[in-house]
Amino acid sequence: MKKIAAAAMSIVLAASLAACGGTSQSDAQDSDTSQSDSSTSTDTPTTSGDGSTLVVYYSAQGHTEEVANAIANAADADIFVIEPSEPYTDDDLNWTNDDSRVSVEHDNPDQRDVELTTTEVPDWDSYDTVFIGYPIWWAVAAWPVNGFVEANDFTGKTVIPFCTSTSSGLGSSATQLAELAGTGDWQEGQRFSSNASESDVQDWVASLNL
């Protein structure tokens, strides 16, 4: 896999985001943001895929990153990391605080237009298959993904969503992203638990017969 990113950064997150529409504690903790974020970015490729498959992901805690890496290994794919220009801090992600950034964005959808470091993928036109990965926030895809999806043309591409969540399913998150994109052949996608094993991911990729 070739890790492509605009800037190097590590985001340490200690708060949980809600993964479904309710506001109870059990609902709100169903997310990918309750621990430290282990995701990192680098401009230097580690290994190279075959150039036809790409894994694009945003990871808050690191669970989505782990699944994305497993997919890239199994599918011989390149990787592109979605990175907010203004990373979410611990305070930003404190969903229990009504005044936190993420709570305000949740309550005001018009404020979810998160600026990204870049939405441009080198050799984008060469990819036939694109995996799109994200944690679930309040039953939808984490909204930093929206800007990437809206900015790119998926015409002629098979798009396969995947998400990480403690208990919620994929829900309508993939359908909503497909509507934002307006192009591409969007598949059903897959939800993985926060502690998904690499073998589980490999089995799923194998079942796709890419």
Side-chain angles (χ1 to χ4, degrees):
M1 61 189 164
K2 179 173 56 182
K3 182 167 289 189
I4 311 167
M9 62 181 67
S10 292
I11 308 168
V12 180
L13 309 176
S16 291
L17 292 183
C20 44
T23 57
S24 68
Q25 183 174 5
S26 60
D27 286 345
Q29 287 178 337
D30 184 12
S31 68
D32 185 35
T33 56
S34 60
Q35 303 280 339
S36 296
D37 185 354
S38 62
S39 63
T40 57
S41 303
T42 176
D43 292 326
T44 304
T46 52
T47 58
S48 179
D50 64 8
S52 65
T53 304
L54 178 69
V55 179
V56 177
Y57 74 89
Y58 169 70
S59 186
Q61 177 185 351
H63 298 311
T64 306
E65 179 187 37
E66 291 176 0
V67 172
N69 287 335
I71 291 173
N73 287 332
D76 193 22
D78 298 336
I79 286 182
F80 180 91
V81 184
I82 297 172
E83 297 178 301
S85 297
E86 182 182 349
Y88 286 84
T89 66
D90 292 350
D91 288 340
D92 289 339
L93 289 162
N94 182 8
W95 60 268
T96 63
N97 180 359
D98 291 340
D99 295 324
S100 71
R101 174 183 173 185
V102 76
S103 293
V104 171
E105 290 172 348
H106 169 257
D107 294 338
N108 301 274
D110 60 339
Q111 296 187 32
R112 298 182 193 174
D113 185 12
V114 178
E115 182 180 355
L116 305 176
T117 57
T118 185
T119 58
E120 297 182 8
V121 179
D123 300 320
W124 172 251
D125 291 341
S126 70
Y127 295 107
D128 301 319
T129 302
V130 178
F131 290 85
I132 300 283
Y134 48 86
I136 292 291
W137 288 1
W138 277 286
V140 300
W143 36 87
V145 178
N146 295 350
F148 177 88
V149 169
E150 291 179 304
N152 285 282
D153 183 0
F154 293 85
T155 300
K157 302 183 188 300
T158 298
V159 188
I160 307 173
F162 67 95
C163 73
T164 55
S165 170
T166 303
S167 61
S168 291
L170 194 71
S172 62
S173 62
T175 302
Q176 292 172 358
L177 289 177
E179 291 174 353
L180 285 176
T183 57
D185 179 15
W186 287 71
Q187 303 298 300
E188 182 177 354
Q190 180 70 20
R191 172 261 180 190
F192 292 96
S193 65
S194 298
N195 59 351
S197 68
E198 185 167 359
S199 63
D200 288 340
V201 177
Q202 291 173 341
D203 290 344
W204 174 64
V205 173
S207 73
L208 299 174
N209 297 316
L210 296 176

